[in-house]
Structure formats: C-alpha cells, structure tokens
PDB file of all heavy atoms in Angstrom:
ATOM      1  N   LEU A   1       8.685  17.170 117.635  1.00  0.00           N
ATOM      2  CA  LEU A   1       9.636  17.265 116.528  1.00  0.00           C
ATOM      3  C   LEU A   1       9.137  18.223 115.444  1.00  0.00           C
ATOM      4  O   LEU A   1       9.906  19.023 114.908  1.00  0.00           O
ATOM      5  CB  LEU A   1       9.868  15.886 115.919  1.00  0.00           C
ATOM      6  CG  LEU A   1      10.852  14.957 116.625  1.00  0.00           C
ATOM      7  CD1 LEU A   1      10.926  13.626 115.889  1.00  0.00           C
ATOM      8  CD2 LEU A   1      12.238  15.581 116.707  1.00  0.00           C
ATOM      9  N   LEU A   2       7.865  18.132 115.128  1.00  0.00           N
ATOM     10  CA  LEU A   2       7.308  18.991 114.092  1.00  0.00           C
ATOM     11  C   LEU A   2       7.417  20.465 114.475  1.00  0.00           C
ATOM     12  O   LEU A   2       7.700  21.326 113.630  1.00  0.00           O
ATOM     13  CB  LEU A   2       5.841  18.635 113.836  1.00  0.00           C
ATOM     14  CG  LEU A   2       5.553  17.212 113.341  1.00  0.00           C
ATOM     15  CD1 LEU A   2       4.053  16.993 113.189  1.00  0.00           C
ATOM     16  CD2 LEU A   2       6.274  16.920 112.032  1.00  0.00           C
ATOM     17  N   ALA A   3       7.207  20.760 115.746  1.00  0.00           N
ATOM     18  CA  ALA A   3       7.222  22.143 116.213  1.00  0.00           C
ATOM     19  C   ALA A   3       8.608  22.764 116.185  1.00  0.00           C
ATOM     20  O   ALA A   3       8.741  23.990 116.160  1.00  0.00           O
ATOM     21  CB  ALA A   3       6.648  22.217 117.626  1.00  0.00           C
ATOM     22  N   THR A   4       9.638  21.940 116.183  1.00  0.00           N
ATOM     23  CA  THR A   4      11.011  22.445 116.242  1.00  0.00           C
ATOM     24  C   THR A   4      11.801  22.133 114.976  1.00  0.00           C
ATOM     25  O   THR A   4      13.025  22.194 114.966  1.00  0.00           O
ATOM     26  CB  THR A   4      11.748  21.849 117.459  1.00  0.00           C
ATOM     27  OG1 THR A   4      11.735  20.412 117.366  1.00  0.00           O
ATOM     28  CG2 THR A   4      11.074  22.265 118.761  1.00  0.00           C
ATOM     29  N   ALA A   5      11.107  21.811 113.886  1.00  0.00           N
ATOM     30  CA  ALA A   5      11.769  21.349 112.666  1.00  0.00           C
ATOM     31  C   ALA A   5      12.176  22.469 111.716  1.00  0.00           C
ATOM     32  O   ALA A   5      12.760  22.202 110.671  1.00  0.00           O
ATOM     33  CB  ALA A   5      10.871  20.351 111.930  1.00  0.00           C
ATOM     34  N   GLY A   6      11.829  23.706 112.048  1.00  0.00           N
ATOM     35  CA  GLY A   6      12.265  24.820 111.220  1.00  0.00           C
ATOM     36  C   GLY A   6      11.308  25.213 110.112  1.00  0.00           C
ATOM     37  O   GLY A   6      11.711  25.897 109.170  1.00  0.00           O
ATOM     38  N   PHE A   7      10.046  24.811 110.219  1.00  0.00           N
ATOM     39  CA  PHE A   7       9.041  25.202 109.242  1.00  0.00           C
ATOM     40  C   PHE A   7       8.214  26.369 109.783  1.00  0.00           C
ATOM     41  O   PHE A   7       8.005  26.486 110.989  1.00  0.00           O
ATOM     42  CB  PHE A   7       8.128  24.026 108.910  1.00  0.00           C
ATOM     43  CG  PHE A   7       8.798  22.965 108.077  1.00  0.00           C
ATOM     44  CD1 PHE A   7       9.638  22.030 108.659  1.00  0.00           C
ATOM     45  CD2 PHE A   7       8.594  22.918 106.708  1.00  0.00           C
ATOM     46  CE1 PHE A   7      10.266  21.054 107.901  1.00  0.00           C
ATOM     47  CE2 PHE A   7       9.216  21.938 105.936  1.00  0.00           C
ATOM     48  CZ  PHE A   7      10.046  21.013 106.525  1.00  0.00           C
ATOM     49  N   GLY A   8       7.714  27.206 108.869  1.00  0.00           N
ATOM     50  CA  GLY A   8       6.931  28.356 109.305  1.00  0.00           C
ATOM     51  C   GLY A   8       5.586  27.963 109.885  1.00  0.00           C
ATOM     52  O   GLY A   8       5.138  28.525 110.883  1.00  0.00           O
ATOM     53  N   ARG A   9       4.934  26.985 109.267  1.00  0.00           N
ATOM     54  CA  ARG A   9       3.634  26.520 109.773  1.00  0.00           C
ATOM     55  C   ARG A   9       3.479  25.052 109.413  1.00  0.00           C
ATOM     56  O   ARG A   9       4.029  24.575 108.418  1.00  0.00           O
ATOM     57  CB  ARG A   9       2.477  27.348 109.207  1.00  0.00           C
ATOM     58  CG  ARG A   9       2.398  27.395 107.686  1.00  0.00           C
ATOM     59  CD  ARG A   9       1.384  28.416 107.197  1.00  0.00           C
ATOM     60  NE  ARG A   9       1.396  28.566 105.752  1.00  0.00           N
ATOM     61  CZ  ARG A   9       0.619  27.895 104.922  1.00  0.00           C
ATOM     62  NH1 ARG A   9      -0.271  27.022 105.392  1.00  0.00           N
ATOM     63  NH2 ARG A   9       0.674  28.090 103.606  1.00  0.00           N
ATOM     64  N   TRP A  10       2.724  24.355 110.236  1.00  0.00           N
ATOM     65  CA  TRP A  10       2.492  22.946 109.988  1.00  0.00           C
ATOM     66  C   TRP A  10       1.150  22.545 110.588  1.00  0.00           C
ATOM     67  O   TRP A  10       0.608  23.219 111.466  1.00  0.00           O
ATOM     68  CB  TRP A  10       3.610  22.082 110.571  1.00  0.00           C
ATOM     69  CG  TRP A  10       3.824  22.227 112.061  1.00  0.00           C
ATOM     70  CD1 TRP A  10       4.608  23.157 112.690  1.00  0.00           C
ATOM     71  CD2 TRP A  10       3.235  21.445 113.097  1.00  0.00           C
ATOM     72  NE1 TRP A  10       4.549  23.008 114.051  1.00  0.00           N
ATOM     73  CE2 TRP A  10       3.722  21.956 114.334  1.00  0.00           C
ATOM     74  CE3 TRP A  10       2.356  20.360 113.115  1.00  0.00           C
ATOM     75  CZ2 TRP A  10       3.344  21.425 115.561  1.00  0.00           C
ATOM     76  CZ3 TRP A  10       1.977  19.827 114.333  1.00  0.00           C
ATOM     77  CH2 TRP A  10       2.479  20.360 115.534  1.00  0.00           C
ATOM     78  N   HIS A  11       0.632  21.453 110.075  1.00  0.00           N
ATOM     79  CA  HIS A  11      -0.663  20.947 110.546  1.00  0.00           C
ATOM     80  C   HIS A  11      -0.605  19.434 110.547  1.00  0.00           C
ATOM     81  O   HIS A  11      -0.114  18.821 109.594  1.00  0.00           O
ATOM     82  CB  HIS A  11      -1.784  21.433 109.625  1.00  0.00           C
ATOM     83  CG  HIS A  11      -3.148  20.964 110.032  1.00  0.00           C
ATOM     84  ND1 HIS A  11      -3.757  21.365 111.211  1.00  0.00           N
ATOM     85  CD2 HIS A  11      -4.014  20.121 109.427  1.00  0.00           C
ATOM     86  CE1 HIS A  11      -4.942  20.793 111.304  1.00  0.00           C
ATOM     87  NE2 HIS A  11      -5.122  20.029 110.235  1.00  0.00           N
ATOM     88  N   CYS A  12      -1.081  18.825 111.611  1.00  0.00           N
ATOM     89  CA  CYS A  12      -1.055  17.368 111.766  1.00  0.00           C
ATOM     90  C   CYS A  12      -2.445  16.867 112.119  1.00  0.00           C
ATOM     91  O   CYS A  12      -3.056  17.356 113.080  1.00  0.00           O
ATOM     92  CB  CYS A  12      -0.046  16.973 112.849  1.00  0.00           C
ATOM     93  SG  CYS A  12      -0.017  15.202 113.246  1.00  0.00           S
ATOM     94  N   GLU A  13      -2.942  15.944 111.356  1.00  0.00           N
ATOM     95  CA  GLU A  13      -4.220  15.287 111.644  1.00  0.00           C
ATOM     96  C   GLU A  13      -3.994  13.789 111.813  1.00  0.00           C
ATOM     97  O   GLU A  13      -3.169  13.202 111.117  1.00  0.00           O
ATOM     98  CB  GLU A  13      -5.219  15.507 110.504  1.00  0.00           C
ATOM     99  CG  GLU A  13      -5.706  16.926 110.342  1.00  0.00           C
ATOM    100  CD  GLU A  13      -6.754  17.024 109.247  1.00  0.00           C
ATOM    101  OE1 GLU A  13      -7.862  16.484 109.444  1.00  0.00           O
ATOM    102  OE2 GLU A  13      -6.447  17.609 108.188  1.00  0.00           O
ATOM    103  N   LEU A  14      -4.747  13.188 112.715  1.00  0.00           N
ATOM    104  CA  LEU A  14      -4.629  11.750 112.951  1.00  0.00           C
ATOM    105  C   LEU A  14      -5.779  11.013 112.290  1.00  0.00           C
ATOM    106  O   LEU A  14      -6.926  11.456 112.329  1.00  0.00           O
ATOM    107  CB  LEU A  14      -4.613  11.456 114.449  1.00  0.00           C
ATOM    108  CG  LEU A  14      -3.458  12.066 115.248  1.00  0.00           C
ATOM    109  CD1 LEU A  14      -3.575  11.690 116.719  1.00  0.00           C
ATOM    110  CD2 LEU A  14      -2.114  11.616 114.691  1.00  0.00           C
ATOM    111  N   GLU A  15      -5.454   9.899 111.671  1.00  0.00           N
ATOM    112  CA  GLU A  15      -6.443   9.014 111.061  1.00  0.00           C
ATOM    113  C   GLU A  15      -6.290   7.628 111.673  1.00  0.00           C
ATOM    114  O   GLU A  15      -5.174   7.140 111.825  1.00  0.00           O
ATOM    115  CB  GLU A  15      -6.211   8.861 109.555  1.00  0.00           C
ATOM    116  CG  GLU A  15      -6.485  10.064 108.713  1.00  0.00           C
ATOM    117  CD  GLU A  15      -6.196   9.783 107.234  1.00  0.00           C
ATOM    118  OE1 GLU A  15      -5.621   8.718 106.917  1.00  0.00           O
ATOM    119  OE2 GLU A  15      -6.537  10.635 106.414  1.00  0.00           O
ATOM    120  N   ALA A  16      -7.389   7.004 112.000  1.00  0.00           N
ATOM    121  CA  ALA A  16      -7.369   5.611 112.440  1.00  0.00           C
ATOM    122  C   ALA A  16      -7.972   4.753 111.325  1.00  0.00           C
ATOM    123  O   ALA A  16      -9.079   5.020 110.853  1.00  0.00           O
ATOM    124  CB  ALA A  16      -8.160   5.430 113.727  1.00  0.00           C
ATOM    125  N   HIS A  17      -7.224   3.771 110.889  1.00  0.00           N
ATOM    126  CA  HIS A  17      -7.691   2.823 109.872  1.00  0.00           C
ATOM    127  C   HIS A  17      -7.765   1.449 110.519  1.00  0.00           C
ATOM    128  O   HIS A  17      -6.777   0.987 111.099  1.00  0.00           O
ATOM    129  CB  HIS A  17      -6.722   2.769 108.690  1.00  0.00           C
ATOM    130  CG  HIS A  17      -6.617   4.050 107.925  1.00  0.00           C
ATOM    131  ND1 HIS A  17      -7.165   4.229 106.678  1.00  0.00           N
ATOM    132  CD2 HIS A  17      -6.018   5.227 108.239  1.00  0.00           C
ATOM    133  CE1 HIS A  17      -6.908   5.449 106.254  1.00  0.00           C
ATOM    134  NE2 HIS A  17      -6.206   6.078 107.183  1.00  0.00           N
ATOM    135  N   VAL A  18      -8.903   0.798 110.421  1.00  0.00           N
ATOM    136  CA  VAL A  18      -9.064  -0.544 110.974  1.00  0.00           C
ATOM    137  C   VAL A  18      -9.354  -1.505 109.820  1.00  0.00           C
ATOM    138  O   VAL A  18     -10.389  -1.402 109.166  1.00  0.00           O
ATOM    139  CB  VAL A  18     -10.178  -0.619 112.032  1.00  0.00           C
ATOM    140  CG1 VAL A  18     -10.245  -2.029 112.623  1.00  0.00           C
ATOM    141  CG2 VAL A  18      -9.947   0.411 113.139  1.00  0.00           C
ATOM    142  N   LEU A  19      -8.399  -2.391 109.563  1.00  0.00           N
ATOM    143  CA  LEU A  19      -8.570  -3.413 108.536  1.00  0.00           C
ATOM    144  C   LEU A  19      -9.039  -4.701 109.195  1.00  0.00           C
ATOM    145  O   LEU A  19      -8.791  -4.931 110.381  1.00  0.00           O
ATOM    146  CB  LEU A  19      -7.251  -3.648 107.802  1.00  0.00           C
ATOM    147  CG  LEU A  19      -6.495  -2.410 107.323  1.00  0.00           C
ATOM    148  CD1 LEU A  19      -5.262  -2.821 106.518  1.00  0.00           C
ATOM    149  CD2 LEU A  19      -7.384  -1.479 106.523  1.00  0.00           C
ATOM    150  N   HIS A  20      -9.717  -5.543 108.447  1.00  0.00           N
ATOM    151  CA  HIS A  20     -10.241  -6.795 109.002  1.00  0.00           C
ATOM    152  C   HIS A  20      -9.797  -7.984 108.154  1.00  0.00           C
ATOM    153  O   HIS A  20      -9.721  -7.889 106.922  1.00  0.00           O
ATOM    154  CB  HIS A  20     -11.767  -6.749 109.092  1.00  0.00           C
ATOM    155  CG  HIS A  20     -12.277  -5.794 110.116  1.00  0.00           C
ATOM    156  ND1 HIS A  20     -12.539  -4.468 109.826  1.00  0.00           N
ATOM    157  CD2 HIS A  20     -12.553  -5.953 111.444  1.00  0.00           C
ATOM    158  CE1 HIS A  20     -12.967  -3.856 110.917  1.00  0.00           C
ATOM    159  NE2 HIS A  20     -12.983  -4.736 111.901  1.00  0.00           N
ATOM    160  N   TYR A  21      -9.529  -9.079 108.833  1.00  0.00           N
ATOM    161  CA  TYR A  21      -9.033 -10.299 108.197  1.00  0.00           C
ATOM    162  C   TYR A  21      -9.830 -11.488 108.700  1.00  0.00           C
ATOM    163  O   TYR A  21     -10.182 -11.554 109.886  1.00  0.00           O
ATOM    164  CB  TYR A  21      -7.544 -10.494 108.513  1.00  0.00           C
ATOM    165  CG  TYR A  21      -6.685  -9.339 108.062  1.00  0.00           C
ATOM    166  CD1 TYR A  21      -6.522  -8.214 108.868  1.00  0.00           C
ATOM    167  CD2 TYR A  21      -6.061  -9.365 106.818  1.00  0.00           C
ATOM    168  CE1 TYR A  21      -5.757  -7.135 108.447  1.00  0.00           C
ATOM    169  CE2 TYR A  21      -5.290  -8.288 106.387  1.00  0.00           C
ATOM    170  CZ  TYR A  21      -5.146  -7.184 107.209  1.00  0.00           C
ATOM    171  OH  TYR A  21      -4.392  -6.124 106.784  1.00  0.00           O
ATOM    172  N   ALA A  22     -10.071 -12.415 107.792  1.00  0.00           N
ATOM    173  CA  ALA A  22     -10.803 -13.622 108.186  1.00  0.00           C
ATOM    174  C   ALA A  22      -9.985 -14.450 109.166  1.00  0.00           C
ATOM    175  O   ALA A  22     -10.521 -15.005 110.133  1.00  0.00           O
ATOM    176  CB  ALA A  22     -11.156 -14.450 106.957  1.00  0.00           C
ATOM    177  N   GLN A  23      -8.670 -14.517 108.924  1.00  0.00           N
ATOM    178  CA  GLN A  23      -7.764 -15.275 109.784  1.00  0.00           C
ATOM    179  C   GLN A  23      -6.505 -14.455 110.032  1.00  0.00           C
ATOM    180  O   GLN A  23      -6.149 -13.578 109.239  1.00  0.00           O
ATOM    181  CB  GLN A  23      -7.392 -16.627 109.133  1.00  0.00           C
ATOM    182  CG  GLN A  23      -8.578 -17.506 108.782  1.00  0.00           C
ATOM    183  CD  GLN A  23      -9.363 -17.957 110.014  1.00  0.00           C
ATOM    184  OE1 GLN A  23      -8.816 -18.042 111.108  1.00  0.00           O
ATOM    185  NE2 GLN A  23     -10.644 -18.243 109.814  1.00  0.00           N
ATOM    186  N   LEU A  24      -5.804 -14.762 111.112  1.00  0.00           N
ATOM    187  CA  LEU A  24      -4.573 -14.059 111.445  1.00  0.00           C
ATOM    188  C   LEU A  24      -3.529 -14.205 110.339  1.00  0.00           C
ATOM    189  O   LEU A  24      -2.766 -13.278 110.070  1.00  0.00           O
ATOM    190  CB  LEU A  24      -4.013 -14.590 112.762  1.00  0.00           C
ATOM    191  CG  LEU A  24      -2.692 -13.985 113.237  1.00  0.00           C
ATOM    192  CD1 LEU A  24      -2.799 -12.475 113.391  1.00  0.00           C
ATOM    193  CD2 LEU A  24      -2.256 -14.628 114.550  1.00  0.00           C
ATOM    194  N   SER A  25      -3.518 -15.351 109.672  1.00  0.00           N
ATOM    195  CA  SER A  25      -2.545 -15.568 108.607  1.00  0.00           C
ATOM    196  C   SER A  25      -2.684 -14.532 107.495  1.00  0.00           C
ATOM    197  O   SER A  25      -1.694 -14.195 106.828  1.00  0.00           O
ATOM    198  CB  SER A  25      -2.692 -16.981 108.032  1.00  0.00           C
ATOM    199  OG  SER A  25      -4.008 -17.176 107.524  1.00  0.00           O
ATOM    200  N   GLY A  26      -3.881 -14.011 107.272  1.00  0.00           N
ATOM    201  CA  GLY A  26      -4.074 -12.985 106.260  1.00  0.00           C
ATOM    202  C   GLY A  26      -3.295 -11.723 106.586  1.00  0.00           C
ATOM    203  O   GLY A  26      -2.676 -11.107 105.706  1.00  0.00           O
ATOM    204  N   LEU A  27      -3.285 -11.334 107.858  1.00  0.00           N
ATOM    205  CA  LEU A  27      -2.527 -10.163 108.288  1.00  0.00           C
ATOM    206  C   LEU A  27      -1.027 -10.412 108.190  1.00  0.00           C
ATOM    207  O   LEU A  27      -0.284  -9.590 107.644  1.00  0.00           O
ATOM    208  CB  LEU A  27      -2.902  -9.790 109.722  1.00  0.00           C
ATOM    209  CG  LEU A  27      -2.024  -8.739 110.404  1.00  0.00           C
ATOM    210  CD1 LEU A  27      -2.037  -7.417 109.638  1.00  0.00           C
ATOM    211  CD2 LEU A  27      -2.478  -8.528 111.855  1.00  0.00           C
ATOM    212  N   THR A  28      -0.567 -11.537 108.721  1.00  0.00           N
ATOM    213  CA  THR A  28       0.875 -11.794 108.740  1.00  0.00           C
ATOM    214  C   THR A  28       1.437 -11.958 107.333  1.00  0.00           C
ATOM    215  O   THR A  28       2.548 -11.500 107.045  1.00  0.00           O
ATOM    216  CB  THR A  28       1.189 -13.032 109.598  1.00  0.00           C
ATOM    217  OG1 THR A  28       0.461 -14.159 109.090  1.00  0.00           O
ATOM    218  CG2 THR A  28       0.790 -12.793 111.050  1.00  0.00           C
ATOM    219  N   GLN A  29       0.681 -12.586 106.441  1.00  0.00           N
ATOM    220  CA  GLN A  29       1.142 -12.721 105.061  1.00  0.00           C
ATOM    221  C   GLN A  29       1.176 -11.380 104.350  1.00  0.00           C
ATOM    222  O   GLN A  29       2.068 -11.110 103.543  1.00  0.00           O
ATOM    223  CB  GLN A  29       0.242 -13.708 104.316  1.00  0.00           C
ATOM    224  CG  GLN A  29       0.420 -15.148 104.753  1.00  0.00           C
ATOM    225  CD  GLN A  29      -0.656 -16.068 104.196  1.00  0.00           C
ATOM    226  OE1 GLN A  29      -1.444 -15.674 103.342  1.00  0.00           O
ATOM    227  NE2 GLN A  29      -0.702 -17.298 104.687  1.00  0.00           N
ATOM    228  N   GLU A  30       0.236 -10.505 104.666  1.00  0.00           N
ATOM    229  CA  GLU A  30       0.221  -9.172 104.064  1.00  0.00           C
ATOM    230  C   GLU A  30       1.414  -8.355 104.532  1.00  0.00           C
ATOM    231  O   GLU A  30       2.065  -7.674 103.735  1.00  0.00           O
ATOM    232  CB  GLU A  30      -1.076  -8.448 104.412  1.00  0.00           C
ATOM    233  CG  GLU A  30      -1.206  -7.080 103.771  1.00  0.00           C
ATOM    234  CD  GLU A  30      -2.563  -6.469 104.017  1.00  0.00           C
ATOM    235  OE1 GLU A  30      -3.542  -6.936 103.410  1.00  0.00           O
ATOM    236  OE2 GLU A  30      -2.643  -5.533 104.839  1.00  0.00           O
ATOM    237  N   LEU A  31       1.733  -8.405 105.817  1.00  0.00           N
ATOM    238  CA  LEU A  31       2.886  -7.678 106.340  1.00  0.00           C
ATOM    239  C   LEU A  31       4.171  -8.157 105.658  1.00  0.00           C
ATOM    240  O   LEU A  31       5.052  -7.358 105.328  1.00  0.00           O
ATOM    241  CB  LEU A  31       2.989  -7.851 107.852  1.00  0.00           C
ATOM    242  CG  LEU A  31       1.894  -7.167 108.678  1.00  0.00           C
ATOM    243  CD1 LEU A  31       2.040  -7.526 110.154  1.00  0.00           C
ATOM    244  CD2 LEU A  31       1.932  -5.657 108.500  1.00  0.00           C
ATOM    245  N   LYS A  32       4.279  -9.454 105.437  1.00  0.00           N
ATOM    246  CA  LYS A  32       5.455  -9.999 104.756  1.00  0.00           C
ATOM    247  C   LYS A  32       5.510  -9.516 103.314  1.00  0.00           C
ATOM    248  O   LYS A  32       6.582  -9.139 102.800  1.00  0.00           O
ATOM    249  CB  LYS A  32       5.436 -11.524 104.805  1.00  0.00           C
ATOM    250  CG  LYS A  32       6.676 -12.164 104.194  1.00  0.00           C
ATOM    251  CD  LYS A  32       6.647 -13.676 104.347  1.00  0.00           C
ATOM    252  CE  LYS A  32       7.900 -14.304 103.739  1.00  0.00           C
ATOM    253  NZ  LYS A  32       7.898 -15.785 103.869  1.00  0.00           N
ATOM    254  N   ALA A  33       4.362  -9.507 102.617  1.00  0.00           N
ATOM    255  CA  ALA A  33       4.321  -9.071 101.228  1.00  0.00           C
ATOM    256  C   ALA A  33       4.690  -7.605 101.082  1.00  0.00           C
ATOM    257  O   ALA A  33       5.247  -7.177 100.071  1.00  0.00           O
ATOM    258  CB  ALA A  33       2.927  -9.323 100.641  1.00  0.00           C
ATOM    259  N   LEU A  34       4.406  -6.814 102.124  1.00  0.00           N
ATOM    260  CA  LEU A  34       4.716  -5.386 102.105  1.00  0.00           C
ATOM    261  C   LEU A  34       6.147  -5.094 102.520  1.00  0.00           C
ATOM    262  O   LEU A  34       6.620  -3.961 102.389  1.00  0.00           O
ATOM    263  CB  LEU A  34       3.763  -4.629 103.043  1.00  0.00           C
ATOM    264  CG  LEU A  34       2.290  -4.605 102.631  1.00  0.00           C
ATOM    265  CD1 LEU A  34       1.442  -4.068 103.765  1.00  0.00           C
ATOM    266  CD2 LEU A  34       2.102  -3.752 101.377  1.00  0.00           C
ATOM    267  N   GLY A  35       6.834  -6.084 103.079  1.00  0.00           N
ATOM    268  CA  GLY A  35       8.172  -5.850 103.606  1.00  0.00           C
ATOM    269  C   GLY A  35       8.147  -5.157 104.944  1.00  0.00           C
ATOM    270  O   GLY A  35       9.162  -4.638 105.412  1.00  0.00           O
ATOM    271  N   ALA A  36       6.984  -5.112 105.603  1.00  0.00           N
ATOM    272  CA  ALA A  36       6.812  -4.345 106.833  1.00  0.00           C
ATOM    273  C   ALA A  36       6.684  -5.237 108.059  1.00  0.00           C
ATOM    274  O   ALA A  36       6.114  -4.842 109.068  1.00  0.00           O
ATOM    275  CB  ALA A  36       5.559  -3.463 106.718  1.00  0.00           C
ATOM    276  N   HIS A  37       7.212  -6.452 107.986  1.00  0.00           N
ATOM    277  CA  HIS A  37       7.190  -7.308 109.155  1.00  0.00           C
ATOM    278  C   HIS A  37       8.207  -6.790 110.168  1.00  0.00           C
ATOM    279  O   HIS A  37       8.863  -5.786 109.951  1.00  0.00           O
ATOM    280  CB  HIS A  37       7.488  -8.762 108.764  1.00  0.00           C
ATOM    281  CG  HIS A  37       8.746  -8.922 107.971  1.00  0.00           C
ATOM    282  ND1 HIS A  37       8.841  -8.535 106.653  1.00  0.00           N
ATOM    283  CD2 HIS A  37       9.963  -9.387 108.312  1.00  0.00           C
ATOM    284  CE1 HIS A  37      10.059  -8.775 106.219  1.00  0.00           C
ATOM    285  NE2 HIS A  37      10.768  -9.279 107.203  1.00  0.00           N
ATOM    286  N   ASN A  38       8.321  -7.473 111.279  1.00  0.00           N
ATOM    287  CA  ASN A  38       9.089  -6.967 112.426  1.00  0.00           C
ATOM    288  C   ASN A  38      10.562  -6.728 112.083  1.00  0.00           C
ATOM    289  O   ASN A  38      11.284  -7.634 111.719  1.00  0.00           O
ATOM    290  CB  ASN A  38       8.976  -7.967 113.581  1.00  0.00           C
ATOM    291  CG  ASN A  38       9.643  -7.470 114.832  1.00  0.00           C
ATOM    292  OD1 ASN A  38       9.924  -6.289 114.981  1.00  0.00           O
ATOM    293  ND2 ASN A  38       9.885  -8.374 115.750  1.00  0.00           N
ATOM    294  N   LEU A  39      11.000  -5.467 112.244  1.00  0.00           N
ATOM    295  CA  LEU A  39      12.376  -5.087 111.932  1.00  0.00           C
ATOM    296  C   LEU A  39      13.097  -4.505 113.133  1.00  0.00           C
ATOM    297  O   LEU A  39      14.175  -3.939 113.009  1.00  0.00           O
ATOM    298  CB  LEU A  39      12.379  -4.047 110.795  1.00  0.00           C
ATOM    299  CG  LEU A  39      11.817  -4.536 109.457  1.00  0.00           C
ATOM    300  CD1 LEU A  39      11.586  -3.364 108.520  1.00  0.00           C
ATOM    301  CD2 LEU A  39      12.748  -5.547 108.826  1.00  0.00           C
ATOM    302  N   ASN A  40      12.517  -4.636 114.321  1.00  0.00           N
ATOM    303  CA  ASN A  40      13.080  -4.019 115.510  1.00  0.00           C
ATOM    304  C   ASN A  40      14.063  -4.926 116.238  1.00  0.00           C
ATOM    305  O   ASN A  40      13.929  -6.148 116.209  1.00  0.00           O
ATOM    306  CB  ASN A  40      11.963  -3.635 116.492  1.00  0.00           C
ATOM    307  CG  ASN A  40      11.366  -2.286 116.155  1.00  0.00           C
ATOM    308  OD1 ASN A  40      12.028  -1.261 116.226  1.00  0.00           O
ATOM    309  ND2 ASN A  40      10.096  -2.294 115.778  1.00  0.00           N
ATOM    310  N   PRO A  41      15.044  -4.318 116.944  1.00  0.00           N
ATOM    311  CA  PRO A  41      15.870  -5.106 117.856  1.00  0.00           C
ATOM    312  C   PRO A  41      14.979  -5.751 118.922  1.00  0.00           C
ATOM    313  O   PRO A  41      13.943  -5.196 119.284  1.00  0.00           O
ATOM    314  CB  PRO A  41      16.806  -4.066 118.479  1.00  0.00           C
ATOM    315  CG  PRO A  41      16.814  -2.934 117.513  1.00  0.00           C
ATOM    316  CD  PRO A  41      15.439  -2.913 116.903  1.00  0.00           C
ATOM    317  N   GLY A  42      15.382  -6.914 119.396  1.00  0.00           N
ATOM    318  CA  GLY A  42      14.593  -7.603 120.407  1.00  0.00           C
ATOM    319  C   GLY A  42      13.648  -8.626 119.825  1.00  0.00           C
ATOM    320  O   GLY A  42      12.959  -9.329 120.552  1.00  0.00           O
ATOM    321  N   ARG A  43      13.612  -8.697 118.479  1.00  0.00           N
ATOM    322  CA  ARG A  43      12.750  -9.709 117.859  1.00  0.00           C
ATOM    323  C   ARG A  43      13.390 -11.083 118.035  1.00  0.00           C
ATOM    324  O   ARG A  43      14.613 -11.201 118.101  1.00  0.00           O
ATOM    325  CB  ARG A  43      12.564  -9.408 116.370  1.00  0.00           C
ATOM    326  CG  ARG A  43      13.848  -9.426 115.584  1.00  0.00           C
ATOM    327  CD  ARG A  43      13.648  -8.883 114.165  1.00  0.00           C
ATOM    328  NE  ARG A  43      14.920  -8.883 113.461  1.00  0.00           N
ATOM    329  CZ  ARG A  43      15.843  -7.938 113.585  1.00  0.00           C
ATOM    330  NH1 ARG A  43      15.633  -6.921 114.413  1.00  0.00           N
ATOM    331  NH2 ARG A  43      16.972  -8.004 112.920  1.00  0.00           N
ATOM    332  N   PRO A  44      12.597 -12.141 118.093  1.00  0.00           N
ATOM    333  CA  PRO A  44      13.172 -13.472 118.271  1.00  0.00           C
ATOM    334  C   PRO A  44      13.886 -13.934 117.019  1.00  0.00           C
ATOM    335  O   PRO A  44      13.491 -13.606 115.900  1.00  0.00           O
ATOM    336  CB  PRO A  44      11.937 -14.342 118.559  1.00  0.00           C
ATOM    337  CG  PRO A  44      10.810 -13.618 117.905  1.00  0.00           C
ATOM    338  CD  PRO A  44      11.133 -12.149 118.026  1.00  0.00           C
ATOM    339  N   GLY A  45      14.949 -14.702 117.174  1.00  0.00           N
ATOM    340  CA  GLY A  45      15.651 -15.258 116.032  1.00  0.00           C
ATOM    341  C   GLY A  45      15.009 -16.560 115.595  1.00  0.00           C
ATOM    342  O   GLY A  45      14.305 -17.224 116.354  1.00  0.00           O
TER     343      GLY A  45
END
C-alpha cells in the first residue's frame, strides 16, 4: 500500500515492543481503558 500511495519517497521501520504484566487481568483491563479491546467481527457476544 505504501509503495502505491502516490508519495515521492517513503520509509518504514518496524519496532517490537514487549510489555509485561503480573497477571492477565492487568493486560485486559488496560485494553479496556484504552478503548482498544476486541472490535472485530466474529467476536463472541
């Protein structure tokens, strides 16, 4: 997509970030607080 987007030049770098949580609930509560929990079709009701 970037190569065909109509820009003269572009550069893409990848970063890996690994966060750590004492318990799984810490991750799930953070995702909820961010509004970034599961928003895809196929999620359970």
Side-chain angles (χ1 to χ4, degrees):
L1 279 179
L2 299 178
T4 58
F7 288 80
R9 56 190 174 93
W10 58 274
H11 180 66
C12 175
E13 292 184 68
L14 299 180
E15 291 179 351
H17 296 253
V18 183
L19 312 184
H20 291 89
Y21 302 85
Q23 303 296 334
L24 178 58
S25 59
L27 170 60
T28 57
Q29 289 169 10
E30 183 174 287
L31 291 175
K32 184 176 180 180
L34 293 169
H37 53 287
N38 185 17
L39 297 168
N40 276 295
R43 61 190 178 278

